[in-house]
Amino acid sequence: MMRARLVAVATCLVAVACAGPAGESADDTVVVEVFGPFLGNEADAFSADIARIERPGLEVRYVGSDSFERDLQRRVEIGQPPDLAIMSERNEIQRYALSGDLLAVPEPIRETAPVSTDPGRPSIDLASVAVPYRLKINSLVWYRADVFDENGWEPPETLESLGDLVDEIAAIDGGPAPWCVGLADPSRPGWPASDWIEDLVVRIGGTDAYDAWVAGDLGYTSGTMTRVFQEFRRLVLQPGATNTDRIVDVLRVSHRDSATPLLADEPGCVLYKASSAAASWLGNPMLDGRLDAFVLPGELPEVRPPVTVSVESIVRFDESSETQEVLASLAASDAEAIWQDVGGFVPISLLESPSGPYSRFVGDTYRMDASESMAPNRRSGLYSTLVSGAANRFDDLQLDLEILESLEDFEP
């Protein structure tokens, strides 16, 4: 395989990574490229992590794209894959592995890598081709703690009390909206809505219903899934629930950009559902008293609901010894310390040995992100139907659920 031949990706947002082609430089320095979705502060933190790996004769270059999935697929199709890539979509990892594009993780590296937390359905052993790097807790609701204090609000303990809080905030004349919401994404429009649906499934139906849905054994027209979509509509899509009354703006604004009003001195919203990774673009809330987070509540106050999580892993397309060297260093990295100032890094070990600032959010039970386990056609059908349904606030919910029901061709 020819190593690290860069192609022009749709949008490259890490300036240092776009300086020139990868491969061997004029002084015979070998360049190992890591391609991923990290942008902004996350790209800076990851670049600092890989910078410590460099040595005379070895340069490690990070390239970030805001259309990562699409760009990675194109690069693989034309025979110019990166040396390493950062991926969280488990079925996509499986697809690249089964097609022979991914190379196995050498056994010595597997022995030093974090233990995989993935109990998902893909038929291959993901630990054989992917080294876990970062955990994302997807069930968090970030909120303006200062606004809560001013109004005497407490983080809600049930979905019902969350709905009551949304109604109360929306009723304040001239005040901020309850939610900042953006459902757009350059690579996967609709995935932020899917994160809502996933969390609501495990809260309303429990882990058994969640597992059945992931497996394709729980239909969208079932009572459980109907309740899930009704709750999503009630909490998020009702008029006045978001910082814009025009639903088209919710569909047009990206998930990350939608958080901007949350950070304003006079906030445009007070709630923002996003993963632990959002800390990196929220100004590291763990160090900022204005912001805090709570886990999206369940139906009963005394029962801690499971969190949904994703694992970002490093996968290998190149067989060179230099690429293996970089992969081994990332497997053994103390990245949490490197990311400390940026925020948003949660170690894989959190689910087994809770400690640190994010340990208060996890209990004994968790579930992997459902859509990342779905076959591509099923996942894309879910995302597109969520976007089209949200555009009309699911006014014809039964039709939308029937459409989703027709897409149930999950391939384990």
Side-chain angles (χ1 to χ4, degrees):
M1 179 184 299
M2 294 188 66
R3 301 189 57 257
R5 294 170 297 174
L6 287 178
V7 297
V9 295
T11 307
C12 185
L13 298 181
V14 183
V16 66
C18 300
E24 292 191 1
S25 64
D27 61 357
D28 293 329
T29 295
V30 173
V31 178
V32 173
E33 179 205 355
V34 186
F35 187 49
F38 295 152
L39 304 171
N41 289 342
E42 290 180 298
D44 293 341
F46 185 73
S47 296
D49 192 7
I50 60 176
R52 63 178 178 76
I53 303 172
E54 295 184 330
R55 57 167 173 76
L58 175 63
E59 177 186 342
V60 187
R61 179 176 300 168
Y62 174 67
V63 176
S65 170
D66 65 355
S67 302
F68 167 74
E69 281 191 54
R70 184 172 63 242
D71 292 335
L72 178 62
Q73 180 175 340
R74 177 173 177 268
R75 294 185 60 173
V76 172
E77 288 175 348
I78 66 175
Q80 296 186 355
D83 299 316
L84 299 169
I86 304 165
M87 299 185 66
S88 62
E89 295 76 16
R90 291 171 290 151
N91 252 54
E92 287 296 293
I93 294 174
Q94 175 180 237
R95 182 173 66 85
Y96 284 121
L98 293 177
S99 66
D101 294 301
L102 288 186
L103 302 179
V105 175
E107 190 60 35
I109 298 179
R110 290 185 64 177
E111 292 175 356
T112 61
V115 175
S116 174
T117 61
D118 190 345
R121 291 178 55 84
S123 57
I124 64 166
D125 174 14
L126 292 187
S128 68
V129 293
V131 173
Y133 182 73
R134 180 175 74 159
L135 181 73
K136 294 196 300 184
I137 305 172
N138 297 332
S139 306
L140 301 185
V141 177
W142 300 94
Y143 68 98
R144 282 292 293 259
D146 55 343
V147 177
F148 268 55
D149 290 342
E150 291 170 6
N151 290 275
W153 298 328
E154 295 289 339
E157 297 184 347
T158 64
L159 284 174
E160 182 178 2
S161 59
L162 175 59
D164 292 341
L165 177 61
V166 168
D167 292 341
E168 181 178 348
I169 297 172
I172 299 175
D173 188 27
W179 297 102
C180 278
V181 178
L183 302 184
D185 181 89
S187 287
R188 298 172 295 157
W191 73 257
S194 178
D195 275 8
W196 268 102
I197 298 301
E198 291 163 26
D199 271 317
L200 290 172
V201 170
V202 79
R203 280 151 180 74
I204 291 173
T207 53
D208 288 344
Y210 189 90
D211 295 341
W213 175 50
V214 174
D217 296 332
L218 178 65
Y220 281 96
T221 57
S222 66
T224 295
M225 296 305 293
T226 300
R227 284 190 57 207
V228 164
F229 277 76
Q230 289 171 337
E231 191 70 15
F232 176 56
R233 180 171 59 188
R234 180 180 79 94
L235 289 174
V236 181
L237 298 179
Q238 62 174 309
T242 67
N243 62 311
T244 173
D245 288 331
R246 299 194 330 141
I247 197 70
V248 66
D249 292 331
V250 172
L251 300 175
R252 187 166 49 199
V253 175
S254 74
H255 173 64
R256 181 182 296 221
D257 290 344
S258 70
T260 300
L262 180 73
L263 305 175
D265 291 338
E266 296 293 332
C269 68
V270 294
L271 300 167
Y272 174 59
K273 185 182 182 302
S275 74
S276 52
S280 66
W281 63 82
L282 293 177
N284 201 354
M286 296 302 181
L287 303 178
D288 183 347
R290 294 191 310 162
L291 294 175
D292 202 348
F294 59 85
V295 173
L296 186 74
E299 295 202 291
L300 300 174
E302 65 272 14
V303 178
R304 169 177 266 185
V307 293
T308 59
V309 302
S310 299
V311 176
E312 291 174 320
S313 299
I314 312 295
V315 298
R316 180 169 69 111
F317 291 89
D318 174 67
E319 61 185 359
S320 71
S321 59
E322 291 85 1
T323 296
Q324 291 191 47
E325 178 182 346
V326 175
L327 183 63
S329 295
L330 287 171
S333 170
D334 182 17
E336 186 175 12
I338 296 172
W339 283 66
Q340 186 172 6
D341 291 340
V342 170
F345 188 93
V346 180
I348 304 298
S349 61
L350 180 75
L351 295 177
E352 305 299 331
S353 304
S355 63
Y358 289 93
S359 60
R360 61 190 170 110
F361 300 126
V362 299
D364 298 330
T365 308
Y366 67 93
R367 284 297 184 270
M368 302 300 295
D369 184 291
S371 65
E372 291 178 354
S373 294
M374 294 178 180
N377 53 350
R378 186 182 179 213
R379 183 182 67 174
S380 62
L382 171 61
Y383 290 169
S384 62
T385 305
L386 286 172
V387 170
S388 60
N392 297 306
R393 294 189 168 96
F394 289 102
D395 286 342
D396 196 343
L397 178 59
Q398 185 62 32
L399 175 60
D400 291 317
L401 295 178
E402 289 173 358
I403 292 172
L404 287 169
E405 189 87 46
S406 70
L407 301 173
E408 289 298 271
D409 55 356
F410 178 70
E411 302 170 4

